[in-house]
Amino acid sequence: MQSAKMRQTSLLAGYSTAGKAMRAIARPAVSRRAAVVVRAEGEASGPGLEAQGPNMTALKDVQEIMDILPHRYPFLLVDRVLEWEYGKYAVGYKCVTVNDNFFPGHFPQRAIMPGVLQVEALAQLGGIVMIDPSEAAQQNNFFFGGVEGCRWRKPVVPGDVLMMRCDVTKFNKRFGICKMAAKAYVGKDLVCEAELTLVMGK
Amino acid sequence: MQSAKMRQTSLLAGYSTAGKAMRAIARPAVSRRAAVVVRAEGEASGPGLEAQGPNMTALKDVQEIMDILPHRYPFLLVDRVLEWEYGKYAVGYKCVTVNDNFFPGHFPQRAIMPGVLQVEALAQLGGIVMIDPSEAAQQNNFFFGGVEGCRWRKPVVPGDVLMMRCDVTKFNKRFGICKMAAKAYVGKDLVCEAELTLVMGK
Amino acid sequence: MQSAKMRQTSLLAGYSTAGKAMRAIARPAVSRRAAVVVRAEGEASGPGLEAQGPNMTALKDVQEIMDILPHRYPFLLVDRVLEWEYGKYAVGYKCVTVNDNFFPGHFPQRAIMPGVLQVEALAQLGGIVMIDPSEAAQQNNFFFGGVEGCRWRKPVVPGDVLMMRCDVTKFNKRFGICKMAAKAYVGKDLVCEAELTLVMGK
Amino acid sequence: MQSAKMRQTSLLAGYSTAGKAMRAIARPAVSRRAAVVVRAEGEASGPGLEAQGPNMTALKDVQEIMDILPHRYPFLLVDRVLEWEYGKYAVGYKCVTVNDNFFPGHFPQRAIMPGVLQVEALAQLGGIVMIDPSEAAQQNNFFFGGVEGCRWRKPVVPGDVLMMRCDVTKFNKRFGICKMAAKAYVGKDLVCEAELTLVMGK
Amino acid sequence: MQSAKMRQTSLLAGYSTAGKAMRAIARPAVSRRAAVVVRAEGEASGPGLEAQGPNMTALKDVQEIMDILPHRYPFLLVDRVLEWEYGKYAVGYKCVTVNDNFFPGHFPQRAIMPGVLQVEALAQLGGIVMIDPSEAAQQNNFFFGGVEGCRWRKPVVPGDVLMMRCDVTKFNKRFGICKMAAKAYVGKDLVCEAELTLVMGK
Amino acid sequence: MQSAKMRQTSLLAGYSTAGKAMRAIARPAVSRRAAVVVRAEGEASGPGLEAQGPNMTALKDVQEIMDILPHRYPFLLVDRVLEWEYGKYAVGYKCVTVNDNFFPGHFPQRAIMPGVLQVEALAQLGGIVMIDPSEAAQQNNFFFGGVEGCRWRKPVVPGDVLMMRCDVTKFNKRFGICKMAAKAYVGKDLVCEAELTLVMGK
């Protein structure tokens, strides 16, 4: 039972030293090369479908994302980072649920994730790419400067996992201007792509 | 482009006949034996991780779930049904995102899905099992009567996909009382289990 | 008028020393044996019904509850504690209003308090029982481990005052495991009962 | 168990004929002279405090109030009507909970019900007084025209039951102008009073 | 007083014939060439600044916009249309307030309107341009297909009035593809510009 | 581009020294005699209507207002202060948008700003008048004590800019009681007026 307790997260975590220890334990172990776990389909003798769901190991979980980004509810749109190389690229995702706060208005008769929020999610992931962990104390800033070549190709709906990748394509260090190729997928399907311009503060 | 348009969902869907046609088209094709798509891990020459995300085909999508359940935002906690046999069992899931409305309060310093909402999600899936599609016009009702043997084993956090299974274990037709074995998983890990009692109205 | 001012609460209370003084004054006096005030029914010559409403003196008001529990809007479900003995039991309640955030979704056509939120409210009251005030600095933690024998007996609706009692029935100090008998009432009617397992952190 | 089922409310109530029947059953019985139930304080051998909470019988419950008023979440501020005489007066109340949607902003450091929302609650009760049930089909309208002599005397906080009474003092039928003496109490304490002007449409 | 009543809007408007009449009266008169009212600055003997605020006459008010667009709270981002020519262009605006639902998360320490929501507001205005009023019964649909050349030039903050203009630049009727030049201003300052692609359904 | 960057606001502003510098820059310049910018109507050769929107220079922007008032979302109802003289008067306004959180409930069929929230906005502006900037460290408090002579004259709807003025008419320093004449306008039209009583704490 003690071990169950250890895996369970304290309600008061974050308020005490004990809480922090438990929080560390509660976080899934981190491996540099995160991966979607392989699943065998229709394995008759194996576990049921319910125990074959995705299990995407976090390189950065949502608590770490909140240490990096100032965004908060209802405008934090990245749940987990799976791959990340500073100044190069990142892979991350957002779970899309009918309980997302925007669905009652978009639309009452049919839940579709607004395209502009997919772009926002991509830009938030892009911001995470550009945060230099060695300069965390200096709090490098960034803002969203522009978008080119944005296309939405399929509707994103509750139950989708919006997988995203941002690759830095150009970085003018002097002016702090960064271009990124950004793509979002549901399964194998490309649902949104855009070239983003972020401007980094000093 | 026309085909892209067909796949894209109309903003005004649900308000017109045309909208309904498009809505039908926009829904993913349905196959009776839904399955989590197999992914090869670390395939060097294959697509990046971002295009290997889960793609869980809906047997019932969220629009169909909303036709069955009266629950709405912020208390509809099933996003998709993957397997379903009337009066027997169902497999379905909820995507968990930091944008879920309950996270700002549970807790400000650490986002953990409330255990009772996992139980609620299981009960909603259980309700879907017991709705007889051939008696839809009669609007069979159900309500949540009790819980036994409920255990929470691991914290559920943003980015998790909460896979659920409900199996009917007993059904007293005369009194409309139904018992269900309910389990929730994240990946292979059992995170919550309970025996639920639902009472079906007439 | 000065006295009226004293009873009225400062808008900026909590931000200043003056504010704290006023806050102290604004809180209802605390008596160890809190009680629902006796009302004479239908007293012809007495005050109207409107001045005979319940007046439940707080042993712990919501500000004190927020000092103990990390839960916040929209997931803090105890408004006031009336009786409390550390490690033994507590009596407290939640006011149920149509303005509770969950009613728009549960259900659009009929407002019924979700049963699982009654259980959550009971567990929060249970957590308050187990917080040792003499070790406040050490921030003992707790989490919700399980539920047995949960029954919902009547619907709880807006306008109800959900009175709750949690009694510790077993406490294994070594493993920090605590069992509680929990009951919720509306008036004399038992509406929900359950045996809760809380696990205390260190 | 059948009887338990009857008392329990259908999740799908309001969607079906069966639902309506159950809804009728689920509503507390109505008595013209509603009353706050008398409680004996400190009765040693009687039930615990938790089973002595208020039990205010509805003359109009929140479903009936929603049939009369167009207000909805988050701006419906009357939970139950206890006494009512068309064109004369009404007594009703709102439960105040920390889960009321306005408390996070009023104020982050201290939950106090905004005074203006007490006045709004009184005006909504006043509107209920002036709706002629025999002309329901004609949908008489009303709006809030003015306030005189409004005073707030004590802070209203989570856990309070805001009891209200509105008495018609003047009604100019030709111009549809109605004056009301409105008072709000917590226990015996007058917390807010005002003279309201409502204008009735045709 | 009767006239005051006429100008005031019925609380029950929209539920009755009387309500509709009052609703018509309550709407500001419509003139085809809407204009921001001229204000003389610092006119010593004139009215105070408080009576010189903008008064932007609606060509389409928010009720009419809601008849056209399926978007609802919290994702309807056009408050009023000032100029409009079917298939050609429109001018409209959104009032930006600290009470906009996205500001608590963007950002807790500083309220800035998300750039992507400015683009969404422009696209909603663009959709209004393309709705053919003579085919209202056929419910022409549209969706957001892409964005080119999007630039954000200045932060938009609470208290700003976001004035927007969308001009159709290309319309391929056969494929229903429409390009628009879209610009948003605060005062004279261009704050956002983009080329939008909308795809019209049939 | 660097200058554009300077005008743009850092996403992380407020978290770092750099952020604070940028925040200062991002704020519009302050002039003591703020004014609504003059607009020429129908100037044929001038800019389009979209570039003639109001541009109300902030004497106090919403960040400064949040430094003064404890109110937060969803109960902060002043967006900008245009004129202000300590202990004398202030002019400020709130932008009214269909995205204001109260409109879904007031009313589902027709968006009208609740009259009582206009009074609340006026009282918040009144509070700003009475905060002595030289005693900021002492955190003078105030609360809303009463209202006289309140009249609502026209409905306020999405797209309106609610301009407000509060003038101190009496101040009893000994008891801290302050009376204010408060008026709200949309364009030239007086929409709400009231005499407010604020009580200042020490």
Side-chain angles (χ1 to χ4, degrees):
Chain A
M1 191 61 176
Q2 185 70 6
S3 62
K5 174 177 151 195
M6 280 302 145
R7 272 179 282 123
Q8 182 48 277
T9 298
S10 160
L11 293 195
L12 295 165
Y15 288 90
S16 65
T17 329
K20 275 183 194 167
M22 294 186 71
R23 174 174 155 179
I25 290 161
R27 288 187 180 178
V30 167
S31 72
R32 195 58 214 284
R33 182 62 183 87
V36 176
V37 170
V38 183
R39 303 269 169 252
E41 188 177 14
E43 245 182 281
S45 59
L49 183 59
E50 67 279 6
Q52 299 177 51
N55 182 4
M56 291 159 288
T57 311
L59 185 62
K60 297 182 193 293
D61 67 16
V62 84
Q63 301 302 128
E64 291 163 304
I65 291 168
M66 290 170 87
D67 290 343
I68 296 169
L69 295 179
H71 304 69
R72 290 296 180 272
Y73 182 86
F75 228 74
L76 175 54
L77 299 172
V78 181
D79 286 322
R80 207 170 279 178
V81 174
L82 300 179
E83 297 188 344
W84 177 85
E85 202 171 333
Y86 166 56
K88 293 278 173 49
Y89 86 108
V91 174
Y93 67 95
K94 171 183 166 41
C95 277
V96 180
T97 177
V98 71
N99 203 31
D100 267 305
N101 83 301
F102 45 78
F103 280 127
H106 198 272
F107 302 98
Q109 300 303 319
R110 179 141 187 79
I112 301 171
M113 185 180 182
V116 296
L117 294 187
Q118 298 169 33
V119 175
E120 175 71 20
L122 287 165
Q124 293 181 10
L125 184 63
I128 293 170
V129 174
M130 296 305 295
I131 301 294
D132 182 351
S134 71
E135 297 185 12
Q138 294 174 247
Q139 277 285 357
N140 283 324
N141 302 328
F142 73 97
F143 59 90
F144 203 173
V147 176
E148 292 290 341
C150 174
R151 288 290 171 277
W152 291 285
R153 299 190 178 285
K154 292 191 70 174
V156 176
V157 299
D160 284 346
V161 174
L162 189 75
M163 295 286 291
M164 302 179 284
R165 181 182 179 115
C166 286
D167 284 276
V168 174
T169 52
K170 236 189 266 187
F171 182 39
N172 182 326
K173 206 169 181 178
R174 190 168 157 208
F175 294 113
I177 298 169
C178 177
K179 302 266 184 191
M180 295 202 168
K183 295 187 178 187
Y185 296 80
V186 173
K188 274 179 289 201
D189 295 323
L190 181 65
V191 295
C192 173
E193 62 187 320
E195 185 196 32
L196 312 176
T197 302
L198 299 186
V199 185
M200 311 307 295
K202 272 186 236 234
Chain B
M1 191 60 176
Q2 186 69 7
S3 62
K5 173 176 151 196
M6 279 301 145
R7 270 180 283 123
Q8 182 49 278
T9 298
S10 160
L11 293 195
L12 295 165
Y15 287 89
S16 66
T17 330
K20 275 184 193 167
M22 294 186 71
R23 174 175 156 180
I25 291 162
R27 287 188 180 178
V30 166
S31 73
R32 195 56 215 284
R33 181 63 181 85
V36 175
V37 171
V38 183
R39 304 267 170 251
E41 188 177 13
E43 245 183 281
S45 59
L49 183 59
E50 68 278 6
Q52 298 177 52
N55 182 4
M56 290 160 288
T57 311
L59 185 62
K60 296 181 193 294
D61 67 17
V62 86
Q63 302 300 129
E64 290 163 304
I65 291 168
M66 292 169 87
D67 290 344
I68 297 168
L69 295 179
H71 303 70
R72 290 294 179 274
Y73 182 86
F75 227 74
L76 175 54
L77 300 172
V78 181
D79 287 322
R80 207 170 278 178
V81 175
L82 300 179
E83 298 187 343
W84 176 85
E85 203 170 334
Y86 167 56
K88 294 277 173 48
Y89 85 109
V91 174
Y93 68 95
K94 171 183 166 41
C95 277
V96 180
T97 178
V98 71
N99 203 33
D100 267 305
N101 84 300
F102 44 78
F103 280 127
H106 198 273
F107 302 97
Q109 301 303 320
R110 180 141 187 78
I112 300 172
M113 184 178 182
V116 296
L117 294 187
Q118 298 168 34
V119 176
E120 174 71 21
L122 287 165
Q124 292 181 10
L125 184 64
I128 293 169
V129 174
M130 296 305 294
I131 301 293
D132 182 349
S134 71
E135 297 185 13
Q138 293 175 247
Q139 277 284 359
N140 283 324
N141 302 328
F142 72 97
F143 60 90
F144 203 172
V147 177
E148 292 290 342
C150 175
R151 289 290 172 277
W152 291 285
R153 300 192 178 283
K154 293 191 69 172
V156 176
V157 298
D160 284 345
V161 174
L162 189 75
M163 295 287 290
M164 302 179 284
R165 182 181 179 116
C166 286
D167 284 276
V168 174
T169 54
K170 235 189 267 186
F171 181 41
N172 182 327
K173 207 169 180 179
R174 190 170 156 207
F175 294 113
I177 298 169
C178 177
K179 302 266 184 191
M180 295 202 167
K183 296 189 177 187
Y185 296 81
V186 173
K188 274 178 290 201
D189 297 323
L190 181 66
V191 295
C192 173
E193 62 187 319
E195 186 196 31
L196 313 177
T197 303
L198 300 185
V199 184
M200 312 307 295
K202 273 186 233 228
Chain C
M1 192 62 176
Q2 186 70 5
S3 62
K5 174 176 149 196
M6 279 303 145
R7 271 179 282 124
Q8 183 47 280
T9 298
S10 160
L11 292 195
L12 296 165
Y15 287 91
S16 66
T17 329
K20 275 184 193 169
M22 293 186 73
R23 174 175 155 179
I25 291 161
R27 288 188 179 178
V30 166
S31 72
R32 195 57 215 283
R33 183 61 181 88
V36 176
V37 170
V38 182
R39 304 267 172 251
E41 187 178 15
E43 245 182 281
S45 59
L49 183 59
E50 67 278 5
Q52 298 177 51
N55 182 4
M56 291 160 287
T57 311
L59 186 61
K60 297 182 193 293
D61 66 17
V62 86
Q63 301 301 129
E64 291 163 304
I65 290 168
M66 291 170 87
D67 290 343
I68 296 169
L69 295 179
H71 303 69
R72 289 296 180 272
Y73 181 87
F75 228 73
L76 176 54
L77 300 172
V78 181
D79 286 321
R80 207 171 278 177
V81 174
L82 300 179
E83 297 189 343
W84 177 85
E85 202 171 334
Y86 166 57
K88 292 276 174 48
Y89 85 109
V91 175
Y93 67 96
K94 170 182 166 43
C95 276
V96 180
T97 177
V98 72
N99 203 32
D100 267 305
N101 84 300
F102 44 77
F103 280 127
H106 198 273
F107 302 97
Q109 301 302 319
R110 180 142 187 78
I112 301 171
M113 184 177 182
V116 296
L117 295 187
Q118 298 168 34
V119 175
E120 174 72 20
L122 287 165
Q124 292 180 10
L125 184 64
I128 293 169
V129 174
M130 296 305 295
I131 301 294
D132 182 349
S134 71
E135 297 184 13
Q138 294 175 247
Q139 276 286 359
N140 282 324
N141 302 328
F142 73 97
F143 60 89
F144 202 172
V147 176
E148 292 291 342
C150 175
R151 289 289 172 276
W152 291 285
R153 300 192 178 284
K154 293 191 69 174
V156 176
V157 298
D160 283 346
V161 174
L162 189 75
M163 294 287 289
M164 301 179 284
R165 180 180 180 117
C166 286
D167 284 275
V168 175
T169 53
K170 237 190 268 187
F171 181 40
N172 182 327
K173 206 169 180 179
R174 191 169 155 207
F175 294 112
I177 298 168
C178 177
K179 301 266 185 191
M180 294 203 168
K183 295 189 178 188
Y185 296 81
V186 173
K188 274 178 290 201
D189 296 322
L190 181 66
V191 295
C192 173
E193 62 187 320
E195 186 196 31
L196 312 177
T197 303
L198 300 185
V199 185
M200 311 307 295
K202 272 187 237 230
Chain D
M1 193 59 177
Q2 185 70 6
S3 62
K5 173 177 151 196
M6 279 301 144
R7 271 180 281 122
Q8 181 49 276
T9 299
S10 161
L11 292 196
L12 295 166
Y15 288 91
S16 65
T17 330
K20 275 183 194 169
M22 294 186 71
R23 174 176 156 179
I25 290 161
R27 288 188 181 177
V30 167
S31 71
R32 195 57 216 284
R33 181 63 182 86
V36 176
V37 171
V38 182
R39 303 270 169 250
E41 188 177 12
E43 245 184 281
S45 59
L49 183 59
E50 67 279 6
Q52 297 177 52
N55 182 6
M56 291 159 288
T57 311
L59 185 62
K60 296 182 193 293
D61 66 17
V62 85
Q63 301 301 128
E64 291 163 303
I65 291 168
M66 290 170 88
D67 290 343
I68 297 169
L69 294 179
H71 304 69
R72 289 296 179 273
Y73 181 85
F75 228 74
L76 175 54
L77 300 172
V78 181
D79 286 321
R80 207 170 279 177
V81 174
L82 300 179
E83 297 188 344
W84 177 85
E85 202 171 333
Y86 166 57
K88 292 277 172 48
Y89 85 108
V91 174
Y93 67 95
K94 171 184 165 41
C95 276
V96 180
T97 177
V98 72
N99 203 32
D100 267 304
N101 83 301
F102 45 77
F103 279 127
H106 198 273
F107 303 99
Q109 301 302 319
R110 180 142 186 78
I112 301 172
M113 185 179 181
V116 297
L117 294 186
Q118 298 170 33
V119 175
E120 175 70 20
L122 287 165
Q124 292 181 10
L125 183 63
I128 293 169
V129 174
M130 296 305 295
I131 302 293
D132 181 350
S134 71
E135 298 184 13
Q138 293 174 249
Q139 277 283 359
N140 283 325
N141 301 328
F142 73 97
F143 58 89
F144 203 173
V147 176
E148 292 290 341
C150 176
R151 289 289 172 277
W152 291 285
R153 300 191 178 283
K154 293 192 68 173
V156 175
V157 298
D160 283 345
V161 174
L162 189 74
M163 296 286 290
M164 302 180 283
R165 180 180 181 117
C166 286
D167 284 276
V168 175
T169 53
K170 238 190 265 186
F171 182 40
N172 181 327
K173 206 169 181 179
R174 189 168 157 209
F175 294 113
I177 299 168
C178 177
K179 302 268 185 189
M180 295 202 168
K183 295 188 178 187
Y185 296 81
V186 173
K188 275 177 289 200
D189 297 322
L190 180 67
V191 295
C192 173
E193 61 186 321
E195 185 196 31
L196 311 177
T197 303
L198 299 185
V199 185
M200 312 307 294
K202 272 187 236 230
Chain E
M1 193 60 177
Q2 185 71 5
S3 60
K5 172 178 153 195
M6 279 302 145
R7 272 180 281 124
Q8 184 45 279
T9 298
S10 159
L11 292 195
L12 295 165
Y15 287 90
S16 65
T17 329
K20 275 184 192 167
M22 293 186 72
R23 175 175 155 178
I25 291 162
R27 287 188 181 179
V30 167
S31 71
R32 194 57 215 285
R33 182 60 182 86
V36 176
V37 171
V38 182
R39 304 269 171 251
E41 187 177 13
E43 248 183 281
S45 59
L49 183 59
E50 68 278 6
Q52 299 177 52
N55 181 4
M56 290 159 289
T57 311
L59 185 62
K60 295 182 193 293
D61 66 18
V62 85
Q63 301 301 129
E64 291 163 303
I65 291 168
M66 291 170 87
D67 290 344
I68 297 170
L69 296 178
H71 303 69
R72 289 296 178 273
Y73 181 86
F75 227 74
L76 176 53
L77 300 172
V78 181
D79 286 321
R80 206 170 278 179
V81 174
L82 300 179
E83 297 187 344
W84 177 84
E85 202 171 333
Y86 166 57
K88 294 276 172 51
Y89 85 109
V91 175
Y93 68 95
K94 171 182 165 45
C95 276
V96 181
T97 177
V98 72
N99 203 33
D100 266 305
N101 84 300
F102 45 76
F103 280 126
H106 198 273
F107 302 98
Q109 301 302 319
R110 180 141 185 79
I112 301 172
M113 184 178 181
V116 297
L117 294 186
Q118 298 168 34
V119 175
E120 174 73 20
L122 287 164
Q124 292 181 9
L125 184 64
I128 293 169
V129 174
M130 296 305 295
I131 302 293
D132 182 349
S134 72
E135 298 185 12
Q138 293 176 247
Q139 276 284 359
N140 283 324
N141 302 328
F142 73 97
F143 59 89
F144 202 172
V147 176
E148 292 290 341
C150 175
R151 290 289 171 276
W152 291 285
R153 301 191 177 284
K154 294 191 67 171
V156 175
V157 298
D160 284 346
V161 174
L162 189 75
M163 295 286 290
M164 302 180 283
R165 180 179 181 119
C166 286
D167 285 275
V168 175
T169 54
K170 238 189 267 186
F171 182 40
N172 182 326
K173 206 168 180 179
R174 192 171 154 204
F175 293 113
I177 298 168
C178 177
K179 302 267 184 190
M180 295 202 168
K183 295 189 178 187
Y185 296 81
V186 173
K188 275 177 290 200
D189 296 322
L190 180 66
V191 295
C192 173
E193 62 186 321
E195 186 196 30
L196 313 176
T197 302
L198 299 185
V199 184
M200 312 307 295
K202 271 185 238 234
Chain F
M1 191 60 177
Q2 185 70 5
S3 62
K5 174 177 151 196
M6 279 304 144
R7 270 180 281 125
Q8 181 49 276
T9 298
S10 159
L11 292 195
L12 296 165
Y15 287 91
S16 65
T17 330
K20 274 183 194 170
M22 293 185 72
R23 173 174 155 180
I25 291 162
R27 287 188 180 180
V30 167
S31 71
R32 194 57 215 282
R33 182 62 182 86
V36 176
V37 171
V38 183
R39 304 269 171 249
E41 187 177 13
E43 246 183 281
S45 58
L49 182 59
E50 68 279 7
Q52 298 176 52
N55 182 3
M56 292 159 287
T57 311
L59 185 62
K60 296 182 193 292
D61 67 17
V62 85
Q63 301 301 129
E64 291 163 302
I65 290 168
M66 291 170 86
D67 290 343
I68 297 169
L69 295 179
H71 304 69
R72 289 296 179 273
Y73 182 86
F75 228 74
L76 176 54
L77 300 173
V78 181
D79 287 320
R80 207 170 279 177
V81 174
L82 299 179
E83 298 188 342
W84 176 85
E85 203 171 332
Y86 166 56
K88 293 278 173 46
Y89 86 108
V91 174
Y93 68 94
K94 171 183 166 43
C95 276
V96 180
T97 177
V98 72
N99 203 32
D100 267 304
N101 84 300
F102 44 77
F103 280 127
H106 198 272
F107 303 97
Q109 301 302 320
R110 179 140 187 79
I112 301 172
M113 184 178 182
V116 296
L117 294 186
Q118 298 169 34
V119 175
E120 174 72 20
L122 287 165
Q124 292 181 10
L125 183 64
I128 293 169
V129 174
M130 296 307 294
I131 302 293
D132 182 350
S134 72
E135 297 185 12
Q138 292 175 249
Q139 277 284 0
N140 282 324
N141 303 327
F142 73 97
F143 59 89
F144 202 172
V147 176
E148 293 289 342
C150 175
R151 289 289 171 277
W152 291 286
R153 300 192 177 284
K154 293 191 69 173
V156 175
V157 298
D160 284 345
V161 174
L162 189 74
M163 296 286 291
M164 301 179 284
R165 180 180 181 117
C166 286
D167 284 276
V168 175
T169 52
K170 239 190 264 186
F171 182 38
N172 181 327
K173 206 169 181 179
R174 192 169 154 208
F175 294 113
I177 298 168
C178 177
K179 301 266 185 190
M180 295 203 168
K183 295 188 178 187
Y185 296 81
V186 173
K188 275 178 290 201
D189 295 322
L190 181 66
V191 294
C192 173
E193 61 187 322
E195 186 195 33
L196 312 176
T197 302
L198 299 185
V199 184
M200 312 307 297
K202 272 186 236 227

